[in-house]
Structure formats: C-alpha cells, structure tokens
Amino acid sequence: MNDWNVTEEGHHMIYEMPPEDVPVSLAARVIYELRLDVQRLNAEAINLHNAVAREGIDRIKLYKIDEAVKLVKDRATAKFDETVEISMNLGVDPKHADQMVRGTVVLPHGLGKTKKVLVIANAEKQREAKDAGADEIGGEELVDKINGGWTDFDAVVATPDMMRAVGRLGKVLGPRGLMPNPKTGTVTTDVANAVKEVKAGKVEFRVDKTGVVHVGVGKVSFPTDKLLENANTLIQAVVKAKPAAAKGKYVRTATICSISAYRSG
C-alpha cells in the first residue's frame, strides 16, 4: 500500500506506481495490477448500467414530470430500494448571501424511512420531546457524547437555551447537514412540533456552491402518484424560496433520477 501514490477521483481510488527507478516489491506490483483490473471492471459495470438506464430516453427532449417519474421507476435495477432524487439548477449565485436558497418542506408521503430524531433540551422540553416520539433525548451530556464520536441519529432539534453548548458541535454536525438552525425550524421552543414534522417527512433543501439543489423525494417502490405529489411539493417550495435578488430565469433545468450503487457524475 505504501509503495504507490493513492488519490481519489470521483467515486474511485486511483493507484499510481512510483517511477521505475524506485524499488517496488513483486507482491506490490501484483497487487497493483489486480487493482487496475478491478478499476477496469468497475468502469465497465458503470458504463453498462448507464447504457441500460438511458436506453429509450431522448436526452434532448423535455419530459413532463409524470413521464420522467415513470421512466425512473421503469429503469431502477439495483437490488435495494433506490432513492428518487430531484436536482434543480437555479439561476442564482450562492457566493452572494442575498441569493442563497434554503428552506424546509414536509413531503406528504415522507421519504420511505423513519428518521431517528435527537433532541437536546432542558428537563421540561425533554418531556415534550419524549411524548412527541423523539428517539434520543438529553441535555449537555448528549453534546459530550456526540463530541466523543457518536452519530447514530438522522436529525437534531435543540432549544435556544441549549445552543451555547450545541454550538461546540459545529465541526461534527455541520458537514453532515445536521446542525440545528432557526431557519429550518430545528432551533425552537416547540420541540414537539419539530419532532413530529421531521418524523412526518420534513426535508431541508439548500443550494450548493454550483447553484444546484439536490433533494430526495422518495423511493422507487413508491406508487407513481405519491412520488409525483412529493416531487411537486418540493418543486413548489424551491420556487417559493426564490430570492428577491435573483435575476433572469430562476429554474434553468430540473432532472430526476434514482440513486443506485452505480451512480456516476
């Protein structure tokens, strides 16, 4: 492993042999050749999967959303229940604070999984959270537990009085998109309602640095009408969140796909 350089490119690890004048063991060269074979086979599998998935699709045609949903469902080939994701390319520049697009919406039919909700609050609010169905409830001891590496939860709700302690979790929760925020309703005194919304299928959307919003809207196993309703609910929420500073065409393109093990690009 130490005999060559390893870099990451997309979803793949790229292995590079050192220059010829650097001594490398025979075993290392054999392993290197095997890894190249694995990379080649993975690339062939991805190309085959993409070719099958695109068969019968006109890449120039603009499809109505009901047609697109049917195409996605018909082409789901993974052995697991794939997530259906919508990507919207928006006419905004996220580098400017007044063009940031961010919000939450409750999908009427959820995401196909029940989220594990953690609530950090004082004793009184902890009782409300428990009655609302929160999975993990506590105070500052949970902050210490998370700082210790525990991340067995899907959403975090906190009361305003606990944010001084929760703020220490920025480096842990921030990269995972789990940091409580008043704008998303996860910093609140009404913890019961916040827990119920998350359990009911509340999702957060936020434009990335390239101006694109990616959000899951269900599973391929969902009936078409439920996927359509979830998709339309998300699209309407993103359109409603258009910043006043955004000029020109707001929604440039929108695509829908299933996320499988062979997803690329």
Side-chain angles (χ1 to χ4, degrees), residues 105-111 200-202 217 222 225-234:
V105 62
V106 176
L107 300 179
H109 303 291
L111 287 170
K202 182 178 182 179
V217 293
F222 280 24
D225 59 334
K226 291 186 177 182
L227 272 177
L228 281 172
E229 192 171 353
N230 275 359
N232 281 318
T233 298
L234 170 69

Side-chain angles (χ1 to χ4, degrees), residues 26-179:
L26 176 60
R29 291 191 180 278
V30 170
I31 294 173
Y32 170 72
E33 294 296 336
L34 289 174
R35 291 190 183 277
L36 284 183
D37 288 340
V38 170
Q39 289 175 1
R40 177 180 55 78
L41 291 172
N42 282 340
E44 291 176 356
I46 290 171
N47 291 335
L48 177 61
H49 175 271
N50 289 343
V52 172
R54 291 168 181 162
E55 186 175 350
I57 294 179
D58 186 340
R59 302 187 70 181
I60 299 177
K61 176 181 176 180
L62 296 178
Y63 289 91
K64 294 181 179 179
I65 190 167
D66 56 337
E67 296 175 319
V69 167
K70 185 177 185 305
L71 286 170
V72 170
K73 285 176 64 67
D74 289 346
R75 283 160 174 75
T77 59
K79 294 180 180 179
F80 57 89
D81 197 7
E82 301 174 48
T83 295
V84 176
E85 182 184 86
I86 285 183
S87 299
M88 301 174 68
N89 186 0
L90 305 179
V92 297
D93 185 351
K95 292 195 294 290
H96 300 286
D98 60 357
Q99 294 190 45
M100 174 58 65
V101 178
R102 182 177 187 177
T104 61
V105 62
V106 176
L107 300 179
H109 303 291
L111 287 170
K113 65 171 286 187
T114 300
K115 288 189 175 181
K116 190 171 184 179
V117 183
L118 178 148
V119 174
I120 302 175
N122 56 45
E124 179 185 351
K125 294 300 179 180
Q126 286 179 26
R127 289 191 292 272
E128 294 179 17
K130 182 178 181 180
D131 292 340
D135 300 280
E136 298 285 346
I137 306 161
E140 288 198 36
E141 72 279 4
L142 285 182
V143 174
D144 295 333
K145 187 176 179 180
I146 294 169
N147 264 330
W150 178 70
T151 56
D152 186 21
F153 48 85
D154 303 304
V156 182
V157 175
T159 51
D161 60 311
M162 296 299 296
M163 285 307 294
R164 181 183 295 274
V166 175
R168 303 200 305 265
L169 300 174
K171 291 183 178 180
V172 179
L173 300 181
R176 299 182 63 206
L178 296 177
M179 190 67 184

